[in-house]
Amino acid sequence: MQSKGSNYHRNAKPGLLFRSSISALMLCTIAAMASFYVAGRLWQDAENRVYLGKELDRITGQGKSSISVDDTLKIIGCREQQKKLTALEMELAAARQEGFVSNHLSTTKTTSKNQPLVVIGVLTGFGRKNNREVIRKAWMTTGEALRKMEDQKGVIARFVIGRSANRGDSLDRGVDIENRNYNDFFILDSHVEATEELPKKTKLFFAHAAERWEAEYYAKVNDDVYVNIDALGSTLAAHLDNPRVYIGCMKSGEVFSEQGQKWYEPDWWKFGDGKTYFRHASGEMFVISKALARFVSINRSILRTYAFDDVSTGSWFIGLDVKHIDDKKFCCSSWSTGGICAGA
């Protein structure tokens, strides 16, 4: 029996091995097919996700379907900066309404321990040296006396002049030499001297003087006017409680519309059918307060000038909350007791 069973097993072994090989082959085939199927599904799902992502981007109009944490923080930071910028712009607008200048202007101002009361700009021109010499001897003084007037009375006086159309010529050199001798000029390097440019020259004087000196007042004077410094000082001191004042000998007058007339105004039509100027200070001498000078400094590029500097200056303050002070002591036609100025 033993010998017979052994023979049976030996005879059955090849069939079993054959079936085992087929089963293994089928399993491998099925496994391979399953792998391809799974891979295909995964690939299809990935393509679907990419397609859906692109469609979402297209519909929402965004380049990304999600925002990272870093991007979110950047957006929040930008919004905070925008809020700060808006607040600063509002503060700047409020400061400009009050007549304050930008911070960068303060770097050019003098740092005198005692703030000057007034800066007087004596508008002069080429060929007016004799007038300047008379003024120096009469009231403006020179050298140490000029410095003493600044330190003790708070009054700074300078001759205001521009440059020649032929820059660097004998006219410019003559002024430079005179300035080296007296050191009493305020030269407007950006301004070209011309009679018809006097209104622009007056505007530039106020603008640049406000940048250079931080005084309570700024005065414009012609170079044929004598000034009583003590009377001027006492008059201005009485108005220190008014932040926006425009002081002078107030007047009005006819607007001349015919070209060729001595006082012809090219913009005559702007003054209405009555052809009369609005009230303004006479051009021989007038004074504006610190806030108004700063206003001119800030807005110099958009402030309109007319044919005459006194009318131009008056026009700048018509729409502002400014106190116009009509003081007859500033009427320079004749010298009177207590008067501040007199024409030559």
Side-chain angles (χ1 to χ4, degrees), residues 79 122 132 160 166 179 201 225 251 265 288 294 300 339:
R79 288 176 179 172
V122 183
R132 294 192 289 272
V160 182
N166 300 313
N179 191 34
K201 181 178 179 180
V225 170
K251 66 175 186 176
E265 173 59 70
I288 63 175
R294 289 179 174 179
R300 74 187 77 171

Side-chain angles (χ1 to χ4, degrees), residues 98-100 109-110 112-120 150 153-156 205-206 209-220 232-247 286-295 317 322-323 325:
E98 293 297 324
F100 294 104
K109 293 176 183 173
T110 58
S112 176
K113 189 174 181 180
N114 297 319
Q115 181 172 317
L117 175 64
V118 59
V119 175
I120 302 174
E150 296 177 8
K153 298 182 178 182
V155 177
I156 297 174
F205 160 65
F206 285 131
E211 294 172 4
R212 181 167 177 179
W213 294 285
E214 188 172 0
E216 294 292 343
Y217 300 97
Y218 300 83
K220 177 262 177 179
L232 175 63
S234 60
T235 298
L236 296 181
H239 298 292
L240 287 173
D241 57 337
N242 295 315
R244 293 178 296 277
V245 292
Y246 171 39
I247 311 172
F286 55 83
V287 180
I288 63 175
S289 61
K290 174 171 55 179
L292 299 187
R294 289 179 174 179
F295 171 80
F317 308 137
V322 174
K323 184 174 183 179
I325 298 177

Side-chain angles (χ1 to χ4, degrees), residues 244-286:
R244 293 178 296 277
V245 292
Y246 171 39
I247 311 172
C249 180
M250 298 293 168
K251 66 175 186 176
S252 185
E254 180 183 357
V255 178
F256 292 92
S257 59
E258 296 296 328
Q259 192 169 4
Q261 291 179 309
K262 181 179 180 181
W263 305 111
Y264 171 63
E265 173 59 70
D267 287 318
W268 58 268
W269 61 274
K270 292 184 179 180
F271 298 92
D273 296 334
K275 295 183 181 178
T276 301
Y277 285 119
F278 43 77
R279 189 70 62 180
H280 60 278
S282 179
E284 288 85 3
M285 181 180 185
F286 55 83

